[in-house]
Amino acid sequence: MGGTFGIAKGGEYCPSIAGLAGFIKCMAKETSQTQSRLIDLDLSDSLQTIATHLVSELFSNHTTIEVAYTGDDRFTQVPVATPIDHSYVKNDFNLNNKDVILVTGGGRGVTAEVVREMAKEFPSHYVLLGRSSIDLDEVKDLKLDCEDKEIKSYLIQAFKKSGRKFTPKDIDARASKVRGALDVHKQLNYLKENGHSASYHSLDVTDLDKCQKVLNDVKQKFGAVTGLIHGAGVLYDKLITDKTQDQFQRVVSVKIDGFFSLLDLLKGEKLKFIGLFSSVAGKFGNVGQSDYAASNEMLNHLARGLEKHFAGCRMISYNWGPFDGGMVTPQLARMFKSQGIGLIPPTIGAQLFVEELAYGPHTTNEIIVGAGNLELGGNSIDSTKPNLKFTKTVKVDEDTYLKDHCLLQNPVLPMAMVMEYILEAANYFAPDLHLVKLSDLRVFKGASFDTNSLDFNFIVTLEDRLENGVLLAVDIFDENNKFKQYGAKVLLATEKPCLNIPSLPEKIDYKEFDESMSDVYENYLFHGKSLQCIKSISGFSEIGIGAILETSNPSDLIKNAKGTWISDPVILDGMAQMGLVWLGKTQGCIGIPQGFDEYYQVKPFEGNLVKCMIHVNKLDTKAFKAELDTWFFDQDSNLIAYGKGWKAIFNESFNSYTTKAKKANK
Ligand SMILES: NC(=O)c1ccc[n+]([C@@H]2O[C@H](COP(=O)([O-])OP(=O)(O)OC[C@H]3O[C@@H](n4cnc5c(N)ncnc54)[C@H](OP(=O)(O)O)[C@@H]3O)[C@@H](O)[C@H]2O)c1
């Protein structure tokens, strides 16, 4: 972009590279082992100069991701606090009742609130665009502001009455359409009741033909469009590694293709202003939002680069922080609040939108709007970070170990893999910090795969800020965010601390174990090849069990996986397997894991073999509960990890899960 992010005069206008900047800022937050930089260069500089800059960036460990070089000058972007100065002369758009303002997304969400405020200030005609269809039968029977659960119970009754078969997914899909229709009716009613002029058209902004047809109709009925607000947007938050091309495309397409379609159709019109809805996710990056950040950074860049093509048009891109509404669900809002992250009240955001348009200087094309402290760059734990949320997809045909972990017919996600995911999520939140311990791991509802893939919604919340670290809560919800499936706390610190770990009780009197490993996997376990990591059982007694386990790599379990584990889910599952063998031998029945009180990892699971020693610290034969403590050692007897209070319930009925029982039942 010419070595000045395309900002300086003569800077190059290149939205796709700006999009890459948004993407890379997210990638940097998702990959802890890779240093990421976007380096904007002035290609008229000598190759020698350029090479020197590239090498110095490659070997520097600063946290700024986006840098630019022109000659020997190095630039970064720093937001500057600039409150609106009402003493400025108000921008004279002369917006009156002859003006026609096109608003994508103006029927619902936070853009709808902006339309209400705009209509108060400027008495023009507002053309609202959105995908929601408003001609739905259900609308006449429901109150416009009824709750989602009322919509669902209405739909369940209606489906039952019609005798049609339906699934919860059918209800959710229809309820979301009905919600859309009710929201748009509410917006139109409000505008009408307050004497404002507005019309609504149901269309997808990426559909050029439909947009053209609507714009032709609008021109005929109300006159040429003179202002544009592009507020349409969708989210499919997922890690880069889990995003499909289609999901990525859909997020980018609404913001970018939608905007380009409209610009194309409005070519030749005298536009007085263009207001774009962008996001702080593009400015600072956010885990799971690489597509969203890329498209918002493109919008920011377009706001700067397009001005010369629309002479006299005020172009402004609003980088919003989180709102108390719209895409921010009540659940997310509660968490942002609990973190002290300010949420923009939609009415205040709407006033700021209008104020910036009315009083902001024409030279400003990009603003950042947030309530309270937004992250202004860097990964320091002193900066206030929003919560992190992302979706992870687990697929049976890619996560191949799942086929080796079936309780009855269906694959079940191993608790050990959940632990690894939780540690990874904590690492995304604060990649610079060291793991001290994972605690209070609880399984609320295990995940069983009756389809090829399941989505898990992760929410990482900052529970406490400590003198030299942070305590995070990592919660994993089902794909509809209806129930929590797993939850744990993770303590991270700036320095790897000296841990006070109890030593292995000497009284464990291991006796020789008398069964072969193939019998063990047949009689007490159900695990397939990729998870069969117990190489030998070195000893066994009434109060414990010891074994040699084989370590694994991500590529052994997941197709196309790269990198290394934080823990080693196969070793941790091996520990669980040892627990089941111990229960099977001593109680005559195996168990299923329920949680883990504390897990400390002193160093990575390196080397091929690990010695694992288990001590039974509680056994309640009336409540059928057991609790085990575990020590993991390398081949030189150095401690690798320690787990306290691994919990399982046991019951004779669980014996039906064993390979032996499954074979007998065939
Ligand atoms: N809420 C926040 O915290 C926040 C923060 C930063 C930036 N923003 C930005 O603010 C804008 C509005 O967000 P919101 O929170 O109000 O989200 P929202 O409640 O999900 O609303 C999104 C709006 O976009 C419309 N839309 C989506 N896809 C469309 C398409 N293909 N064609 C036409 N219309 C489409 C939706 O209408 P239909 O459902 O009827 O299609 C709806 O009006 C977005 O651009 C978002 O990126 C929001």
Side-chain angles (χ1 to χ4, degrees):
M1 293 185 280
T4 56
F5 307 111
I7 293 171
K9 285 249 171 304
E12 286 162 34
Y13 162 65
C14 187
S16 54
I17 295 192
L20 195 59
F23 182 90
I24 287 177
K25 281 180 263 184
C26 297
M27 193 177 88
K29 294 202 165 174
E30 290 184 24
T31 51
S32 57
Q33 291 145 343
T34 316
Q35 283 245 37
S36 310
R37 293 271 186 284
L38 185 113
I39 309 166
D40 176 30
L41 297 163
D42 179 353
L43 295 182
S44 64
D45 281 339
S46 71
L47 279 180
Q48 166 85 52
T49 307
I50 288 176
T52 310
H53 296 329
L54 289 177
V55 171
S56 79
E57 286 300 327
L58 265 179
F59 293 99
S60 70
N61 61 1
H62 61 79
T63 51
T64 314
I65 291 160
E66 219 181 345
V67 294
Y69 283 93
T70 301
D72 286 333
D73 291 330
R74 180 174 182 274
F75 300 101
T76 57
Q77 296 191 57
V78 183
V80 181
T82 39
I84 288 281
D85 186 345
H86 290 94
S87 62
Y88 282 173
V89 178
K90 200 169 172 180
N91 290 317
D92 186 11
F93 293 120
N94 193 21
L95 285 178
N96 55 39
N97 58 6
K98 297 219 168 52
D99 283 286
V100 177
I101 297 169
L102 190 65
V103 194
T104 71
R108 55 196 303 237
V110 296
T111 321
E113 198 65 52
V114 166
V115 171
R116 294 171 184 218
E117 192 63 29
M118 282 287 291
K120 247 198 271 171
E121 189 77 12
F122 306 111
S124 311
H125 178 76
Y126 290 83
V127 179
L128 315 181
L129 306 180
R131 292 161 306 172
S132 297
S133 161
I134 50 175
D135 306 322
L136 302 188
D137 288 343
E138 291 91 337
V139 169
K140 60 181 184 325
D141 294 334
L142 289 162
K143 284 200 184 117
L144 296 184
D145 49 9
C146 67
E147 288 189 23
D148 288 353
K149 59 179 187 226
E150 292 174 62
I151 301 179
K152 285 188 187 164
S153 62
Y154 171 89
L155 289 173
I156 291 170
Q157 294 311 321
F159 267 100
K160 281 185 180 163
K161 220 163 137 189
S162 70
R164 276 180 295 157
K165 278 194 175 160
F166 63 93
T167 63
K169 268 196 173 159
D170 298 329
I171 298 292
D172 285 348
R174 187 70 189 168
S176 137
K177 289 206 161 87
V178 174
R179 173 87 277 157
L182 294 172
D183 286 352
V184 178
H185 276 289
K186 192 171 161 193
Q187 168 79 335
L188 291 173
N189 282 3
Y190 172 91
L191 293 171
K192 195 170 162 198
E193 280 161 15
N194 287 281
H196 306 307
S197 170
S199 51
Y200 177 78
H201 301 266
S202 166
L203 57 69
D204 187 321
V205 284
T206 61
D207 183 341
L208 186 65
D209 292 341
K210 193 87 191 277
C211 286
Q212 177 151 40
K213 198 174 160 307
V214 166
L215 284 186
N216 287 344
D217 287 354
V218 164
K219 195 166 184 172
Q220 266 189 1
K221 278 193 205 143
F222 304 104
V225 170
T226 49
L228 170 64
I229 298 174
H230 184 37
V234 289
L235 292 178
Y236 289 100
D237 290 1
K238 279 190 177 192
L239 298 177
I240 294 169
T241 46
D242 287 340
K243 262 186 210 296
T244 63
Q245 207 173 334
D246 180 54
Q247 288 159 345
F248 194 97
Q249 181 64 29
R250 273 196 279 169
V251 173
V252 177
S253 180
V254 177
K255 292 242 170 195
I256 304 303
D257 296 343
F259 183 46
F260 277 127
S261 302
L262 296 173
L263 283 187
D264 210 26
L265 297 169
L266 296 173
K267 224 168 24 198
E269 306 294 9
K270 268 206 118 7
L271 290 179
K272 295 180 179 175
F273 77 92
I274 296 180
L276 301 171
F277 275 56
S278 181
S279 161
V280 290
K283 281 282 127 241
F284 307 123
N286 203 4
V287 171
Q289 296 198 317
S290 52
D291 38 16
Y292 184 67
S295 40
N296 284 312
E297 273 291 73
M298 279 193 257
L299 286 184
N300 293 334
H301 193 74
L302 286 165
R304 298 199 295 259
L306 282 179
E307 204 167 35
K308 52 181 173 282
H309 299 281
F310 291 86
C313 172
R314 169 105 167 92
M315 286 259 193
I316 176 127
S317 182
Y318 294 79
N319 286 267
W320 301 107
F323 274 92
D324 194 0
M327 291 169 170
V328 177
T329 59
Q331 185 194 45
L332 267 177
R334 269 198 302 280
M335 275 182 306
F336 278 129
K337 278 182 188 160
S338 73
Q339 292 304 300
I341 306 290
L343 297 175
I344 310 170
T347 46
I348 303 290
Q351 285 165 17
L352 289 170
F353 182 98
V354 173
E355 281 199 345
E356 182 62 39
L357 202 60
Y359 294 99
H362 266 249
T363 44
T364 305
N365 298 113
E366 236 189 299
I367 62 161
I368 297 174
V369 191
N373 249 347
L374 287 169
E375 183 196 0
L376 299 181
N379 274 332
S380 134
I381 55 166
D382 290 335
S383 64
T384 306
K385 279 183 169 235
N387 295 291
L388 189 156
K389 73 177 173 79
F390 62 92
T391 306
K392 184 172 180 69
T393 306
V394 180
K395 292 185 177 161
V396 177
D397 57 6
E398 287 177 9
D399 294 59
T400 47
Y401 66 88
L402 282 167
K403 292 193 184 111
D404 287 336
H405 198 261
C406 298
L407 284 187
L408 289 168
Q409 281 91 19
N410 290 338
V412 171
L413 191 63
M415 190 173 90
M417 192 54 86
V418 172
M419 277 178 74
E420 175 68 18
Y421 291 158
I422 287 175
L423 294 175
E424 282 174 10
N427 189 246
Y428 293 141
F429 188 94
D432 303 340
L433 303 187
H434 298 279
L435 168 66
V436 180
K437 74 169 170 177
L438 178 150
S439 58
D440 302 318
L441 172 67
R442 295 290 173 264
V443 180
F444 300 103
K445 187 176 188 308
S448 168
F449 289 72
D450 52 6
T451 53
N452 178 47
S453 81
L454 284 180
D455 278 352
F456 296 95
N457 287 314
F458 282 69
I459 294 181
V460 185
T461 320
L462 184 62
E463 284 243 315
D464 204 359
R465 215 176 268 282
L466 311 166
E467 200 182 320
N468 59 353
V470 289
L471 178 66
L472 307 177
V474 183
D475 292 311
I476 307 177
F477 292 83
D478 75 305
E479 60 183 349
N480 297 316
N481 269 321
K482 276 199 186 134
F483 48 83
K484 199 200 279 194
Q485 297 200 258
Y486 310 93
K489 304 267 157 66
V490 181
L491 183 63
L492 302 169
T494 43
E495 303 278 331
K496 190 99 196 158
C498 278
L499 298 169
N500 208 358
I501 290 174
S503 38
L504 183 67
E506 281 178 23
K507 60 182 179 180
I508 298 180
D509 181 15
Y510 291 113
K511 299 173 193 125
E512 219 170 281
F513 191 76
D514 53 3
E515 289 183 60
S516 71
M517 283 311 105
S518 55
D519 284 349
V520 161
Y521 275 104
E522 184 89 4
N523 297 337
Y524 307 106
L525 300 169
F526 48 85
H527 301 71
K529 216 156 183 51
S530 65
L531 297 174
Q532 292 185 359
C533 65
I534 308 180
K535 294 296 120 191
S536 61
I537 292 186
S538 49
F540 173 84
S541 77
E542 276 65 45
I543 56 163
I545 180 167
I548 301 295
L549 309 178
E550 192 172 36
T551 57
S552 74
N553 289 307
S555 55
D556 302 334
L557 302 197
I558 302 167
K559 269 189 196 161
N560 303 321
K562 295 192 181 72
T564 50
W565 303 118
I566 295 179
S567 61
D568 180 336
V570 171
I571 291 285
L572 295 179
D573 196 73
M575 175 206 74
Q577 294 169 29
M578 290 166 62
L580 301 195
V581 174
W582 185 87
L583 284 168
K585 281 286 250 189
T586 61
Q587 308 303 310
C589 52
I590 66 163
I592 50 173
Q594 296 290 287
F596 213 155
D597 282 346
E598 288 179 351
Y599 171 76
Y600 297 84
Q601 196 168 309
V602 179
K603 61 187 193 123
F605 282 95
E606 284 158 349
N608 211 13
L609 298 175
V610 166
K611 194 163 127 191
C612 176
M613 307 293 275
I614 288 182
H615 175 239
V616 180
N617 85 19
K618 261 187 215 157
L619 178 67
D620 184 338
T621 50
K622 288 197 183 109
F624 300 101
K625 285 182 180 169
E627 250 186 59
L628 317 176
D629 296 342
T630 311
W631 289 256
F632 300 89
F633 300 97
D634 66 14
Q635 279 168 298
D636 299 325
S637 299
N638 297 313
L639 187 72
I640 302 175
Y642 165 68
K644 184 174 162 41
W646 177 87
K647 296 176 197 314
I649 47 167
F650 52 94
N651 189 300
E652 257 180 42
S653 65
F654 298 148
N655 286 350
S656 59
Y657 300 150
T658 61
T659 306
K660 185 176 163 188
K662 282 185 201 155
K663 280 187 184 163
N665 281 338
K666 265 192 181 163

